[in-house]
């Protein structure tokens, strides 16, 4: 069996001030048929796993383009069209094919394209025809659109947030698409629009239990897969929002019944699954009340993983104003400060202006007397064996035991080695403040005395009822108490 595979992913914050251009993809590497070999521990880790799966079954992978960019504003049209057309050319060159597997995000928006994934899938369908099964993995923060639905046979979202199950979902996609290619299953999909906007962490109840419930239906009574697409709240496109879909074996009625049942169950849970986010001072008070550290605070509104700049200073300023000792903050994106510190050298003490560079949502810069403790030209962080570059990075120490990690590759904090890998003794800190929303949880929670989420000002406002949508319907919960009325 010959399977074409490609990867194209970014999560677009349509409210973000900075567009996603070539640089956003190039800093992670754009790989043309060799990501599984050249980058098996970063961009190509899913492609490498797909090759292992195919090899074990005696199947062939025709590997196409692999490219992903850190979330930011809409993708420049020429960039998206060029990457899309490369993938389509790869499909044509690989014909005849038995199946297509894509690794996508699901919330990629480009100039003039609200639904990049749907457009890409539809273009591939035109090339391979109606009989070749097309399958894709999706991030749960996807927009599940009608075009995606009609163009693909199998769409499966990661179930966990943080996304610790990407490999498992890829294996599921591979198993189902090969079975479909062999005629062993006939996947049909039904979708339920939950009409909800929010952020739902699967690391605590009742969301953890709902994930288990979805999985309990899979593999019996003709149900092949169940996915909950949380949606991406900061993507203002017409088909945004939470959706639950079910893939059944040749039985659309069965799929529809279960999709509606589980979608209604999720709706009934809406109050119980709302995450608890503190304002700044209440969050700091709650963290200090724990008494011992480290207590991890997530700066959710400045999460680069959602398209925020990663250079806001609001929480940092409050820590300094309140004279809270033994705090680590990271990772702030500040290229100028890094250059100044690197030029000064390790051990130098200087006055440094930090953060607040990218706009109103970043706050004002902070001026601190700091000592440069480390300069790392190729700093990185890791999660589950996957390496994520942070680029040239600096650790500076300010007053009162304040440690700040500055990075040149804008990305959310995921691994503890974002701190420890550059020398910060994270376990000795009272508070550790991370520029992240949830992906840090898997690595940090086991080492933390508590984990709290703080909604400071920033580019990712968590007030879902007041998001400034212009294009999507405003008939959703929590903006409307009953959007089904």
């Amino acid at each position: 069996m010959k399977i074409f595979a490609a990867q194209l992913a970014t999560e677009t914050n349509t409210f973000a001030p900075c567009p996603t251009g070539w640089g956003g993809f190039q800093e992670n590497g754009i790989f043309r048929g060799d990501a599984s070999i050249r980058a098996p521990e970063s961009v190509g880790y899913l492609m490498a796993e797909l090759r292992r799966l195919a090899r074990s079954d005696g199947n062939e992978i025709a590997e196409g383009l692999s490219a992903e960019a850190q979330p930011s504003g809409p993708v420049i049209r020429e960039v998206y069209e060029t990457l899309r057309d490369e993938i389509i050319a790869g499909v044509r060159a690989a014909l005849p094919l038995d199946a297509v597997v894509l690794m996508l995000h699901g919330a990629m928006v480009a100039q003039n394209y609200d639904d990049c994934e749907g457009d890409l899938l539809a273009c591939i369908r035109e090339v391979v025809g109606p009989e070749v099964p097309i399958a894709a993995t999706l991030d749960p923060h996807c927009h599940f659109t009608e075009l995606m639905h009609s163009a693909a046979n199998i769409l499966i979202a990661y179930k966990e947030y943080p996304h610790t199950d990407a490999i498992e979902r890829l294996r599921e996609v591979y198993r189902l698409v090969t079975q479909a290619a062999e005629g062993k299953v006939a996947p049909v999909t039904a979708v339920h629009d939950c009409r909800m906007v929010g952020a739902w962490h699967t690391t605590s109840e009742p969301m953890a239990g709902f994930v288990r419930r979805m999985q309990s239906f899979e593999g019996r009574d003709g149900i092949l897969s169940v996915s909950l697409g949380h949606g991406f709240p900061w993507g203002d496109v017409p088909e945004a929002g939470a959706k639950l879909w079910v893939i059944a074996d040749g039985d659309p009625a069965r799929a529809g019944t279960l999709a509606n049942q589980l979608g209604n169950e999720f709706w009934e849970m809406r109050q119980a699954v709302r995450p608890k986010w503190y304002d700044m001072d209440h969050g700091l008070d709650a963290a200090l009340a724990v008494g011992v550290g480290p207590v991890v605070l997530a700066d959710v509104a400045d999460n680069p993983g959602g398209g925020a700049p990663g250079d806001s200073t609001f929480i940092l300023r409050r820590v300094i104003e309140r004279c809270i000792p033994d705090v680590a903050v990271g990772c702030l994106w500040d290229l100028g400060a890094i250059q100044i510190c690197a030029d000064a050298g390790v051990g130098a003490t200087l006055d440094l202006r930090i953060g607040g560079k990218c706009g109103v949502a970043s706050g004002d810069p902070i001026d601190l007397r700091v000592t440069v403790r480390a300069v790392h030209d190729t700093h990185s962080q890791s999660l589950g064996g996957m390496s994520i570059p942070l680029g040239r990075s600096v650790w500076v120490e300010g007053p009162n035991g304040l440690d700040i990690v500055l990075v040149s590759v804008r990305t959310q904090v995921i691994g503890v080695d974002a701190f420890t890998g550059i020398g910060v003794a994270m376990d000795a800190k009272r508070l550790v403040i991370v520029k992240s929303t949830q992906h840090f949880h898997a690595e940090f929670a086991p080492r933390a005395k508590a984990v709290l989420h703080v909604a400071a000002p920033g580019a990712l406002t968590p007030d879902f009822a007041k998001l400034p949508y212009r294009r999507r319907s405003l008939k959703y919960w929590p903006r409307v108490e009953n959007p089904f009325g």
Side-chain angles (χ1 to χ4, degrees), residues 40 44-50 52-53 137 158 163-174 384:
Y45 84 106
L46 289 175
M47 194 70 76
E49 175 64 17
L50 184 62
R52 285 191 288 269
L53 293 169
T137 59
Y158 308 152
H163 311 327
T164 54
D165 62 329
I167 291 290
E168 287 79 4
R169 300 289 77 78
L170 178 65
R171 291 169 180 167
E172 184 181 356
V173 158
Y174 173 79

Side-chain angles (χ1 to χ4, degrees), residues 71-125:
S72 192
V75 180
I76 298 298
R77 178 175 181 171
E78 183 265 341
V79 174
Y80 165 64
E81 290 179 341
T82 301
L83 295 173
R84 176 201 63 189
D85 292 349
E86 277 200 48
I87 292 174
I88 296 166
V91 173
R92 286 198 180 95
L95 293 174
L97 292 165
D98 298 290
V100 174
V101 172
L102 302 176
M103 288 142 277
L104 307 174
H105 184 282
M108 182 176 179
V109 179
Q111 296 167 340
N112 298 102
Y113 294 91
D114 287 336
D115 177 16
C116 292
E117 287 84 358
D119 177 65
L120 173 62
L121 288 164
C123 289
I124 291 174
R125 176 59 71 197

Side-chain angles (χ1 to χ4, degrees), residues 164-349:
T164 54
D165 62 329
I167 291 290
E168 287 79 4
R169 300 289 77 78
L170 178 65
R171 291 169 180 167
E172 184 181 356
V173 158
Y174 173 79
R175 174 175 54 82
L176 291 180
V177 80
T178 52
Q179 289 177 351
E182 293 168 349
K184 295 179 179 178
V185 296
V188 291
T189 300
V191 60
H192 176 91
D193 188 346
C194 302
R195 302 189 187 181
M196 297 165 63
V197 170
W200 298 289
H201 304 161
T202 63
T203 49
S204 58
E205 298 295 348
M207 277 304 297
F210 189 72
V211 170
R212 293 192 298 271
R213 178 152 174 77
M214 288 195 302
Q215 292 176 309
S216 72
F217 291 95
E218 296 176 330
R220 61 185 182 91
D221 300 327
I223 301 301
L224 301 177
S225 180
V226 180
S227 292
L228 174 64
H230 299 199
F232 184 57
W234 300 279
D236 185 10
V237 293
E239 295 181 85
K243 295 172 185 175
L244 190 144
W245 66 93
V246 173
I247 305 174
D249 185 5
D251 192 340
R254 188 182 296 272
T257 298
L258 183 58
N260 290 332
Q261 175 188 329
L262 290 173
N264 287 328
E265 289 180 18
F266 184 58
W267 166 259
E268 293 299 327
M269 295 166 53
R270 63 193 182 282
Q271 296 292 352
V273 298
R274 292 179 93 160
K276 184 176 183 180
W277 287 339
Y278 295 90
D279 62 36
M280 277 195 297
D281 280 308
H282 285 101
L284 291 170
D285 290 343
L288 294 173
V290 174
V292 293
V295 175
V296 176
L297 286 84
D299 184 1
V300 301
D302 194 36
N303 171 24
D311 74 334
S312 82
T313 56
F314 299 102
I315 295 182
L316 175 59
R317 187 176 299 279
R318 288 301 290 141
V319 166
I320 295 168
E321 290 171 348
R322 293 180 54 165
C323 298
I324 300 173
D326 299 322
V327 178
V329 182
C331 295
L332 274 81
W333 185 53
D334 195 327
L335 303 177
I338 289 170
Q339 183 66 48
I340 291 168
C341 291
D343 288 347
V346 175
T349 298

